[in-house]
Amino acid sequence: MYDAIVSLVLVQGAGPQTGLESPLHHFFKVLPPGEFIINAEEYPGGGMHTKPGIELAFTDKSGAHWLKDKSGTLTELSKPPDQYYSIAQPIGWLYLDDDVQ
């Protein structure tokens, strides 16, 4: 995955239901296969009975753009993830050693 944007969303409870509503995004230039823990200390939190999840937008090796929502549904995007989220340039792309434990 390239130009991956990971957004913290809520699977349950009041708060951001999609990455378009989320105040917390992490930007990774390359996201290799595997499992990772992403620091979410900046997230302001939520009320009782909230259940966090993630939304992932990325570009694959063939140049297609994708969105995997909080339920796991994969949808092709018509534009790159940064344009989908209307994120201004320059983007501070991270590498896994910069932000992941």
Side-chain angles (χ1 to χ4, degrees):
M1 294 181 195
Y2 303 94
D3 299 342
I5 299 176
V6 180
S7 305
L8 183 64
V9 298
L10 294 180
V11 175
Q12 174 182 313
Q17 301 296 308
T18 70
L20 294 169
E21 302 167 351
S22 180
L24 182 62
H25 305 280
H26 288 279
F27 311 101
F28 294 97
K29 194 63 181 164
V30 177
L31 195 59
E35 294 183 10
F36 308 94
I37 297 172
I38 297 174
N39 182 345
E41 290 177 2
E42 309 101 39
Y43 187 69
M48 294 175 33
H49 307 292
T50 60
K51 181 179 178 185
I54 64 162
E55 180 175 285
L56 174 64
F58 63 94
T59 301
D60 68 17
K61 69 178 183 174
S62 68
H65 312 294
W66 300 94
L67 177 72
K68 185 173 182 183
D69 70 16
K70 65 184 180 182
S71 66
T73 302
L74 190 64
T75 305
E76 189 167 5
L77 297 173
S78 61
K79 50 189 160 186
D82 59 322
Q83 291 177 18
Y84 173 75
Y85 290 116
S86 299
I87 296 170
Q89 299 288 335
I91 296 174
W93 295 106
L94 298 173
Y95 292 88
L96 289 178
D97 292 343
D98 294 336
D99 194 60
V100 178
Q101 302 173 357

